[in-house]
Amino acid sequence: MIGMAEVKLINIWKRFGDVTAVKDLSLEIKDGEFLVLLGPSGCGKTTTLRMIAGLEEPTRGQIYIEDNLVADPEKGVFVPPKERDVAMVFQSYALYPHMTVYDNIAFPLKLRKVPKQEIDKRVREVAEMLGLTELLNRKPRELSGGQRQRVALGRAIIRRPKVFLMDEPLSNLDAKLRVKMRAELKKLQRQLGVTTIYVTHDQVEAMTMGDRIAVMNKGELQQVGTPDEVYYKPVNTFVAGFIGSPPMNFLDATITDDGFLDFGEFKLKLLQDQFEVLEEENMVGKEVIFGIRPEDVHDASFTHIDVPEENTVKATVDIIENLGGEKIVHLRRGNISFTAKFPKESKVREGDEVSVVFDMKKIHIFRKDTEKAIF
Ligand SMILES: Nc1ncnc2c1ncn2[C@@H]1O[C@H](COP(=O)(O)OP(=O)(O)OP(=O)(O)O)[C@@H](O)[C@H]1O
Ligand SMILES: [Mg+2]
């Protein structure tokens, strides 16, 4: 008995010659869960999906789908894709060029000899959801890239398989349609309750769609958690820096024996419990990586947070990016640069010397050598 996981990867490795695409990956995706695989280009996302789909055999490790062992090279087990009941939407999808949109979407049901009326009902439902109703009689070559991608999506979701595997299915859509489809896809997945593994390198997509996010880098799993967990409790500098925009600020600092972070140009007083943790970890006198998100660096004249005088820092405004609803402010103090997110009401201008406050409750400390989080 393997438990409730719909898909389970155990110590999966994948090598292509000298390249190790996936390194000792263990991951459980729960029944009905929407799991996002997130990571930069080349980190092994597509390879992982292809192994689950059965398009690629792992070099080592086991894959289970609904308690059935579908891949284990040591035991010589390899269940072919057709028998896995998974539907995959590829990063580079292929539609049947001679078939209409209608027939492309209907195809998987025709293969399964579903009655014509039922097919028609489902094609129209799916087309409506994907905004393809007007295009049902067209051929793929008469569609834009984004429209083709939606047809490919339609062809996968019409099947209602055990598991959806989606590889950047929204990457060809324009920004607005992407936001809309993000919500639609998530809603659809909830309605159908189909376990979904969704690959993206877009952290906003991951944060907004995933029940949980698995962050990968260079073939290795870094962290699995809810969007809040990976955002607020990143386990290392990679996860901390990959999720969030603009990214978290990282600054080198030394922990002083009187409980300060010493940046050279300025100091920040640690909270008592933070200092105690660092003392326990033997970090006093040592260099660490300090992390703080831009939204946790406040304009001193607009902040509501209660900060001791000693944690107010003077800095020069280098550049302001005005996003309308807020301002991204690039600040500098000597040779130390960092970014802050100020409210639109903030009056700061480029070249100003301003007072900023660091919300010490929100800071992160990472080890300098391993880049792992202490908190
Ligand atoms: N068939 C193959 N032969 C050799 N190397 C491969 C093969 N497929 C993938 N790789 C390598 O394995 C690594 C992981 O590739 P993969 O396609 O899984 O990355 P990815 O995370 O999907 O990236 P992207 O976001 O760019 O799609 C890369 O270094 C890639 O070059
Ligand atoms: Mg890929």
Side-chain angles (χ1 to χ4, degrees), residues 34 59 75 87 94 132 141 148 165 173 198 207 211 214 220 265 267 304 345 357:
F34 195 114
T59 310
K75 288 198 183 132
L132 295 169
R141 74 183 130 75
R148 278 181 222 161
L165 303 174
L173 306 184
Y198 185 100
M207 290 293 289
D211 294 324
E220 276 184 276
E265 292 284 338
K267 289 183 184 180
H304 54 282
E345 292 81 13
V357 291

Side-chain angles (χ1 to χ4, degrees), residues 128-153:
E128 189 61 38
M129 195 223 106
L130 295 168
L132 295 169
T133 304
E134 317 289 297
L135 306 174
L136 284 172
N137 293 323
R138 293 221 201 146
K139 298 268 174 69
R141 74 183 130 75
E142 299 162 327
L143 302 175
S144 74
Q147 290 166 339
R148 278 181 222 161
Q149 199 162 33
R150 280 181 278 153
V151 177
L153 209 51

Side-chain angles (χ1 to χ4, degrees), residues 42 44-47 91 167-168 199:
K45 305 181 295 294
T46 297
T47 305
Q91 200 168 5
D167 195 353
E168 314 234 11
V199 160

Side-chain angles (χ1 to χ4, degrees), residues 105-237:
I105 297 176
F107 190 72
L109 298 187
K110 279 196 184 145
L111 273 187
R112 283 168 184 72
K113 310 245 183 314
V114 174
K116 246 193 159 117
Q117 255 187 325
E118 170 74 9
I119 293 182
D120 191 62
K121 186 169 150 269
R122 275 161 71 179
V123 169
R124 289 182 194 284
E125 257 173 34
V126 167
E128 189 61 38
M129 195 223 106
L130 295 168
L132 295 169
T133 304
E134 317 289 297
L135 306 174
L136 284 172
N137 293 323
R138 293 221 201 146
K139 298 268 174 69
R141 74 183 130 75
E142 299 162 327
L143 302 175
S144 74
Q147 290 166 339
R148 278 181 222 161
Q149 199 162 33
R150 280 181 278 153
V151 177
L153 209 51
R155 200 174 52 186
I157 63 187
I158 201 161
R159 267 187 46 196
R160 301 182 190 163
K162 264 187 227 155
V163 182
F164 282 140
L165 303 174
M166 300 191 179
D167 195 353
E168 314 234 11
L170 307 183
S171 59
N172 286 345
L173 306 184
D174 68 53
K176 210 168 149 191
L177 193 53
R178 233 179 130 119
V179 172
K180 180 171 170 259
M181 285 293 302
R182 220 151 71 189
E184 292 280 352
L185 248 185
K186 179 77 210 179
K187 206 166 81 190
L188 179 89
Q189 192 269 345
R190 285 239 174 88
Q191 276 169 9
L192 302 180
V194 178
T195 307
T196 301
I197 307 175
Y198 185 100
V199 160
T200 181
H201 60 265
D202 179 341
Q203 47 108 6
V204 178
E205 217 166 271
M207 290 293 289
T208 53
M209 297 181 84
D211 294 324
R212 285 189 309 155
I213 301 172
V215 186
M216 289 180 76
N217 187 33
K218 297 182 181 158
E220 276 184 276
L221 183 66
Q222 306 289 307
Q223 183 170 4
V224 196
T226 63
D228 275 355
E229 280 162 359
V230 293
Y231 191 83
Y232 293 107
K233 293 196 179 310
V235 297
N236 58 28
T237 55

